């Protein structure tokens, strides 16, 4: 068992009351860290890339690397496009061999978001590929010291979520419930009342973006309420770069690339393992 669709991963997660962690990645060591962590903990895992990461690595290379790295493993692995910005960019990932795509039309009107998402679903389903949609803008947590955290955080309307799921035929839904991307300046206040209503009205696997910095008890509560996939990105990049800077400062003038990169890769693996455990997906492969 290795590469599977998110439909298979999320259905099993929903029945098993855990979430599958989805880690964004953009290079070899980063991808190895995720795969090694998942294999060690016997966890299903989703390896994702946003458009910028697909462009950075090349989509064909990204998919080939995931397949090569997981070919001999006994864990189910998803290959997912995160926040596809247009119909064209999203559909292009089917050509690369992604098994799951997200089209993010949340910055458009609901009508336009529905119209484009429905077209993506048609093409993706013809190829057996899972589609994640988004309702309510999941913004950026303010990064600056003066930033007000809630400036960019939208809350989805459960009735709009219901209409969106019915009219598009998507397989999983990312809905804004007070979560955001990046580093939260204060503890995020997730709207569990909204999450409960969205789950009741849609009854499809729900996805939580902006997992970095959401307290473990909130992640676990969200899982009990229908969240089957949780996205982590910033926490891994931060751990990688902080460790890399430390290592380089300790070993100035040492040009052994593997020696300099290894602690950062180990740190990312450690972080991935912590988040797998938070998602309760360990030993679920
Ligand atoms: Zn996201």
């Amino acid at each position: 068992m290795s590469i599977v669709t998110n439909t298979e991963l999320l259905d099993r997660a929903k029945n098993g009351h855990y979430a599958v962690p989805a880690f964004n990645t953009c290079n070899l060591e980063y991808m190895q860290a995720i795969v090694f962590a998942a294999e060690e903990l016997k966890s299903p895992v989703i390896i994702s890339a946003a458009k910028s990461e697909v462009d950075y690595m090349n989509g064909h290379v990204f998919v080939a690397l995931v397949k090569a790295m997981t070919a001999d493993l006994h864990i189910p692995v998803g290959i997912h496009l995160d926040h596809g910005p247009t119909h064209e960019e999203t559909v292009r990932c089917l050509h690369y061999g992604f098994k799951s795509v997200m089209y993010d039309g949340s910055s458009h009107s609901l009508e336009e978001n529905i119209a484009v998402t429905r077209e993506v679903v048609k093409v993706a389903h013809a190829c057996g590929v899972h589609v994640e949609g988004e309702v309510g803008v999941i913004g950026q947590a303010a990064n600056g010291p003066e930033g007000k955290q809630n400036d960019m955080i939208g809350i989805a309307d459960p009735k709009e979520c219901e209409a969106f799921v019915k009219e598009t035929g998507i397989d999983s839904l990312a809905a804004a419930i007070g979560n955001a991307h990046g580093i939260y300046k204060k503890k995020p206040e997730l709207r569990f009342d909204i999450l409960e209503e969205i789950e009741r009205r849609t009854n499809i696997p729900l996805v939580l973006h902006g997992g970095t910095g959401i307290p473990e008890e909130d992640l676990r509560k969200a899982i009990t309420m229908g969240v089957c996939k949780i996205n982590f990105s910033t926490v891994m990049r931060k751990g990688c770069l902080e460790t890399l800077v430390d290592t380089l400062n300790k070993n100035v003038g040492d040009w052994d690339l593997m020696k300099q990169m290894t602690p950062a890769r180990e740190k990312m693996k450690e972080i991935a393992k912590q988040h797998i455990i938070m998602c309760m997906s360990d030993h679920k492969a």
Side-chain angles (χ1 to χ4, degrees), residues 179-239:
N179 47 322
H181 303 110
I183 300 286
Y184 296 101
K185 297 304 289 182
K186 58 175 178 145
K187 181 179 174 292
E189 300 293 338
L190 297 188
R191 290 285 303 273
F192 290 108
D193 55 327
I194 299 278
L195 179 62
E196 186 175 30
E197 195 179 345
I198 293 171
E199 150 67 14
R200 185 164 48 75
R201 286 176 178 272
T202 63
N203 198 31
I204 63 170
L206 302 177
V207 178
L208 190 63
H209 284 237
T212 295
I214 297 179
E216 181 163 351
E217 65 266 26
D218 285 359
L219 290 182
R220 294 200 166 178
K221 185 172 178 185
I223 292 168
T224 65
M225 297 173 70
V227 166
C228 305
K229 168 176 175 270
I230 303 179
N231 293 5
F232 303 102
S233 178
T234 310
V235 67
M236 297 282 283
R237 286 183 274 114
K238 183 170 179 287

Side-chain angles (χ1 to χ4, degrees), residues 104-246:
D104 178 359
S106 63
S107 61
H108 302 297
S109 68
L110 182 67
E111 292 67 31
E112 196 179 340
N113 189 3
I114 287 172
V116 180
T117 304
R118 189 191 282 144
E119 290 306 307
V120 170
V121 167
K122 258 190 222 166
V123 182
H125 282 185
C127 304
V129 168
H130 176 108
V131 180
E132 177 181 325
E134 176 169 331
V135 177
V137 180
I138 302 167
Q140 299 293 330
N143 288 320
E146 307 300 325
K148 287 188 190 134
Q149 179 159 300
N150 287 324
D151 281 354
M152 298 279 293
I153 300 180
I155 302 288
D157 175 344
K159 287 189 189 122
E160 288 191 359
C161 292
E162 184 179 3
F164 185 79
V165 169
K166 264 189 199 141
E167 291 181 36
T168 59
I170 53 163
D171 305 292
S172 61
L173 175 68
I177 56 161
N179 47 322
H181 303 110
I183 300 286
Y184 296 101
K185 297 304 289 182
K186 58 175 178 145
K187 181 179 174 292
E189 300 293 338
L190 297 188
R191 290 285 303 273
F192 290 108
D193 55 327
I194 299 278
L195 179 62
E196 186 175 30
E197 195 179 345
I198 293 171
E199 150 67 14
R200 185 164 48 75
R201 286 176 178 272
T202 63
N203 198 31
I204 63 170
L206 302 177
V207 178
L208 190 63
H209 284 237
T212 295
I214 297 179
E216 181 163 351
E217 65 266 26
D218 285 359
L219 290 182
R220 294 200 166 178
K221 185 172 178 185
I223 292 168
T224 65
M225 297 173 70
V227 166
C228 305
K229 168 176 175 270
I230 303 179
N231 293 5
F232 303 102
S233 178
T234 310
V235 67
M236 297 282 283
R237 286 183 274 114
K238 183 170 179 287
C240 174
L241 292 174
E242 284 174 351
T243 307
L244 187 57
V245 167
D246 278 356

Side-chain angles (χ1 to χ4, degrees), residues 16 20 26 38 63 84 91 93 97 142 154 156 159 185 191 197 211 221 249 270 277:
V20 183
C26 62
V63 171
V91 166
C93 285
K159 287 189 189 122
K185 297 304 289 182
R191 290 285 303 273
E197 195 179 345
K221 185 172 178 185
N249 282 332
E270 204 48 48
I277 289 166

